Amino acid sequence: PPAASACNSIYVTPTGTGAGTQVNPTDLLTALSMAMCNNSTIKLSHGTYTISNPISITNNTTLEGGFDPTTWNKSNVAQSIIFRDANNVQPAPNRLVAIDLNTVSNFRIQEVTVDVANAPASSVSTYGIHLVNCSNYEIVRCIINPGNASAGQNGTGVSGGTGTNGTVGCYGDEDN
């Protein structure tokens, strides 16, 4: 597709409260709303980003982790972790999802660890990344830990009827 208008890179730390610059980084949820203009790169410093609802990105967006927040150079020292806690289970079907993308194209998720808490109640599924109708995407050097889903509900089967006596058997063959 033709290149969309470009936004600047948006710099993010787990405790950021600023404008999304290197000197004054913002938080992850603010960065995601700033990236709505498409063709953005969200640069995550290492650390843990705890979310209580699924996050989404728009077309032509890159979500890239592994940056040192002092220099904004790539660093292999620590991970950029998106942790989805067990709050706010999505209904119908019941599920915990960290990154939920529907009809998004030309995106990239790179060098991010996605951890999802274990499901809190019965009949809850867990997903690190849930994609529906997405195309032309790259998920590169990521670790996805979806957490344990919960047990399903007990079945509601019907008891069988009482059996009847069998018929009278035949005499056996003495030649055996």
Side-chain angles (χ1 to χ4, degrees):
S5 60
C7 292
N8 293 328
S9 293
I10 303 166
Y11 297 88
V12 179
T13 63
T15 58
T17 59
T21 64
Q22 287 183 350
V23 175
N24 197 8
T26 191
D27 64 278
L28 178 58
L29 298 180
T30 301
L32 291 169
S33 67
M34 292 169 68
M36 298 291 274
C37 69
N38 292 332
N39 208 22
S40 299
T41 299
I42 298 172
K43 296 184 177 189
L44 301 173
S45 74
H46 39 75
T48 300
Y49 300 82
T50 300
I51 58 173
S52 295
N53 289 296
I55 61 171
S56 185
I57 58 177
T58 56
N59 296 330
N60 305 304
T61 298
T62 298
L63 183 64
E64 185 174 1
F67 289 93
D68 179 335
T70 57
T71 63
W72 291 101
N73 292 322
K74 292 295 264 186
S75 170
N76 292 326
V77 174
Q79 299 174 335
S80 299
I81 301 168
I82 297 173
F83 174 69
R84 170 64 159 98
D85 65 24
N87 294 316
N88 303 320
V89 172
Q90 292 175 274
N94 294 339
R95 61 189 185 172
L96 285 177
V97 180
I99 300 173
D100 197 5
L101 304 176
N102 190 342
T103 317
V104 181
S105 62
N106 304 305
F107 64 89
R108 181 179 179 96
I109 302 172
Q110 180 174 325
E111 296 173 357
V112 174
T113 296
V114 178
D115 290 335
V116 177
N118 292 333
S122 66
S123 299
V124 176
S125 299
T126 58
Y127 299 86
I129 301 175
H130 186 264
L131 305 175
V132 175
N133 295 322
C134 294
S135 61
N136 300 319
Y137 58 87
E138 297 175 336
I139 299 173
V140 180
R141 293 186 300 276
C142 291
I143 299 170
I144 312 298
N145 300 309
N148 294 324
S150 59
Q153 295 179 350
N154 291 332
T156 56
V158 177
S159 298
T162 304
T164 59
N165 293 331
T167 60
V168 175
C170 299
Y171 290 107
D173 184 358
E174 295 179 9
D175 291 338
N176 291 337

